[in-house]
C-alpha cells in the first residue's frame, strides 16, 4: 500500500514538472485517498487494541 502511495506521489511530481496539471492532480488525489485509507486502518487497529485492553 505504501509503495503505491510513493509511486503516485512520484507520478504527480513528474507530471507537474512536465506541465500536465490534470495528471498531477489525479495522481495527488489518488495518493491522498490511499493515505486516508492507511490512516483509517491504523486508527481502527489502535482503537481496537485500546478497546481490548
Amino acid at each position: 500500500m505504501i509503495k503505491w502511495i510513493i509511486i503516485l506521489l512520484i507520478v504527480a511530481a513528474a507530471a507537474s514538472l512536465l506541465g500536465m496539471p490534470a495528471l498531477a492532480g489525479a495522481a495527488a488525489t489518488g495518493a491522498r485517498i490511499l493515505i486516508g485509507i492507511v490512516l483509517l486502518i491504523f486508527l481502527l487497529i489502535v482503537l481496537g487494541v485500546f478497546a481490548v485492553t
Side-chain angles (χ1 to χ4, degrees):
M1 190 71 118
I2 302 213
K3 176 182 73 172
W4 286 110
I5 294 172
I6 293 169
I7 290 171
L8 281 169
L9 289 174
I10 291 170
V11 168
S16 66
L17 283 175
L18 294 171
M20 292 185 259
L23 181 60
T29 303
R32 275 191 213 112
I33 292 169
L34 284 177
I35 290 169
I37 292 170
V38 169
L39 286 176
L40 271 174
I41 293 170
F42 177 73
L43 279 173
L44 286 174
I45 291 171
V46 169
L47 290 174
V49 168
F50 277 122
V52 169
T53 56

